[in-house]
Amino acid sequence: MLIAGVTAVSMRLWAQGPVDGAIRGHVSAVCGSYPQRCLAGDLRVHLTSPDQGVERDVNVDSEGDFLLLRLPPGEYELRATSRMEGERGIGGIAVARLDLEGGDLDEVTLTLGAPRLSAQAGVPGLSLTGLGGESYDPAALDLAKQLDSLPLESRQWEDLLELDSESSEETSATQTVESASDDEGDPASRVSARDGATATGLSYAGLSSTQGEFSLDGLSGDQSFRAGPRGSATGGASSGASYNQGSVKSFRVLPRNFSAQYGMVGGMAVITREASSVLHGAAFVRARESAWAATNPFSIASDYNNGVAMSEVVKPEGSQLQFGGSVGVPLGKSRGAKSRRGRSRFQREMEGREPLSLFASVEAVLRDDHIVSTPATANFYNLSDDQRALLANRGVDGAATNAALEYLESLTGTTERHAYRVMGTVRLDASPTVRDHLTASYAGNRFDSPSGAALGQASDAVVARGTGSLGDSVVHVDVGSGRWLHSFSKNLNNEVRGQVAHDLDYQTPHAPLPQEPAIGPYGYAPQVSIAPNGFSFGTPSSLAPGATGGRSAYPDETRLELADTLQWHIGRHVLIVGADWSRIHDRIDTLSAEEGAFSYDSGTTNGKDGGLVDWITDYTFSVHAYPNGACRDRRQRAWKLPH
């Protein structure tokens, strides 16, 4: 579907694209016997970024204004000079430094004075000091250093979004303990919990989390099928972020009004990091161990042994090792200040970046956790006098009741859950000519977690599911993208972006325990849910094995996207013309409840006293209500007349 828009707006509002920024400034002077602002003549602003290898000149108009477009995010220094002195002009120098983020339009005011006097520059929301002032610390504006100083879990930079007043975490459902049928495919489900995937469930400006968008380098980073970021959309296999912290240069939360440039209403726009003009790198190791953590007072495990029910607070074992690193390498000779004499005026006024640079980043996470399977409530095994009386009226004696509860106890215990995740990014930037800048990048995410299927609560340390009722979760994400920026002149440029993305998410069930009724069509046990006290066992409805094995493609999605943007600076305005084309192909292979699903939730009225009593009754008399009526005998005989 083709979406095209034409916008002519004041350059004070929008003069930048999704993956770069712009600087709008004004230069004035201080002159006269009594200090006052006056007009400085023959002004030129020289922009440099040692980190990005960018160098650019721009002339100031007759009113002292200037505009710099298509700047990559990074730290910049602006130096304004005037060579004219006289009645209407003054010589001098003014310097300002700032940190530009993607999608931003920063405003700078430069004031010229005597060459040796200090000059000040103001940027809204940021205090900058010119020559003669306090020292400038670029690290204070570095995203990675900010993240390292904040209490963010597992280096998940997306958690910073919740610091924005326009964004908040959205809970997909209300968590209760009235049922352990926490499988989203079960109509009786009432329990859900946060999956632990940090990049999911965020609401922007009060909108539903499914209405938010994720933009990566100006292109969609969303999975279309489940309406969320690739690799971490809700409702299926989820690995968390698909883009590691080391590869992210900057990100921003978009407002709720529709933006044709971003193609979304609210969401997050991310820009990846590129190599700087010098060799640089970083490495980290992070270890977490449950022994150092506090015990959750709500993590209660219940046991039953020969008529005796016990419960205690538990702290399952768990550990996590996270490590990685990044490196940026300039591969070509910089066109820096030494070569300025041989460059034309057009070349000096255009972007002068590294001819060739390479940036790579990789992170790995290894987890070893233990999951405790136990009923959701501590008094699950403690039957009331009314319940025992009802069972006796149905012909279920104490020995039979004890045998049924011992069977449920045999389905509980501790399961070991491993997980690994590897995320990597490679980005190549090239400037073959002064007019062109090319970018090619690849990002990959591999996540494999045995017993890590979300199922509403399986990411918790204590779950109300049988040990054989968990599932495995796998995520594969591959994204290749490219960008070509061509400058026809200093006021006219065109940008082409494109990507090919593949996202494969799937989940598979575990084989039933030996004591579970493996009577399903594929040799699995049907799901059995006992409410309101909370416990379930058997094959989760959403992970029905089927002929191909569970959710073998949920989804297998491929996205092809192309975008083109033309930007023309006309006087005090910027004309932007753009189009974006996207094609999405989804393959879905999933079918719920193929093994059957049974829910015991009869309530406590009209002769009923909870689902556990009904389940014990059926178990005692071998009704197989766990599965009830699943054994069917169908016969057919046909007669054919001779003629």
Side-chain angles (χ1 to χ4, degrees), residues 2-51:
L2 183 64
I3 302 175
V6 178
T7 309
V9 296
S10 168
M11 66 181 180
R12 181 178 178 84
L13 297 178
W14 296 104
Q16 71 284 344
V19 298
D20 45 38
I23 300 175
R24 177 177 185 258
H26 178 77
V27 183
S28 60
V30 176
C31 58
S33 56
Y34 180 79
Q36 60 180 342
R37 292 201 174 194
C38 61
L39 183 65
D42 194 13
L43 289 172
R44 174 171 295 179
V45 175
H46 180 59
L47 175 77
T48 56
S49 174
D51 178 59

Side-chain angles (χ1 to χ4, degrees), residues 209-355:
S209 60
T210 59
Q211 297 184 35
E213 298 285 343
F214 183 87
S215 169
L216 181 71
D217 287 339
L219 298 164
S220 176
D222 275 345
Q223 177 194 109
S224 177
F225 177 70
R226 300 208 312 267
R230 292 189 194 103
S232 59
T234 58
S238 180
S239 67
S242 290
Y243 308 100
N244 55 316
Q245 176 180 312
S247 66
V248 175
K249 174 65 177 179
S250 65
F251 68 94
R252 63 192 307 227
V253 178
L254 299 180
R256 71 180 67 190
N257 56 299
F258 178 77
S259 169
Q261 279 189 287
Y262 290 89
M264 66 177 83
V265 181
M268 177 172 59
V270 177
I271 299 176
T272 58
R273 188 180 299 273
E274 64 178 299
S276 67
S277 58
V278 296
L279 175 64
H280 64 95
F284 75 94
V285 176
R286 176 191 176 106
R288 297 181 59 192
E289 173 59 48
S290 62
W292 306 333
T295 301
N296 185 352
F298 298 101
S299 297
I300 300 176
S302 300
D303 298 313
Y304 184 84
N305 184 13
N306 195 24
V308 179
M310 298 175 293
S311 61
E312 61 178 348
V313 177
V314 295
K315 186 176 71 172
E317 297 179 4
S319 63
Q320 175 178 294
L321 177 63
Q322 188 174 10
F323 55 92
S326 60
V327 62
V329 183
L331 302 177
K333 185 178 180 180
S334 175
R335 296 189 297 267
K338 294 181 179 180
S339 61
R340 287 177 51 80
R341 294 182 179 180
R343 294 163 59 189
S344 65
R345 179 178 178 181
F346 172 80
Q347 291 175 324
R348 292 195 305 270
E349 292 179 349
M350 295 307 298
E351 190 174 17
R353 303 170 72 172
E354 289 294 330

Side-chain angles (χ1 to χ4, degrees), residues 49-137:
S49 174
D51 178 59
Q52 299 295 328
V54 175
E55 182 182 12
R56 188 182 297 185
D57 289 333
V58 62
N59 291 329
V60 177
D61 63 18
S62 59
E63 299 295 328
D65 296 327
F66 65 92
L67 178 64
L68 292 162
L69 302 173
R70 297 293 190 187
L71 297 174
E75 299 157 4
Y76 289 92
E77 178 183 280
L78 293 94
R79 185 179 297 266
T81 58
S82 174
R83 297 189 300 271
M84 181 176 179
E85 296 187 14
E87 183 178 351
R88 296 183 57 82
I90 187 171
I93 184 173
V95 178
R97 300 179 178 90
L98 56 86
D99 186 78
L100 184 66
E101 295 184 359
D104 279 354
L105 173 60
D106 284 358
E107 297 194 20
V108 179
T109 299
L110 296 164
T111 303
L112 293 171
R116 295 187 179 182
L117 296 180
S118 64
Q120 294 182 345
V123 177
L126 186 65
S127 177
L128 299 176
T129 304
L131 299 179
E134 298 179 359
S135 61
Y136 171 70
D137 181 13

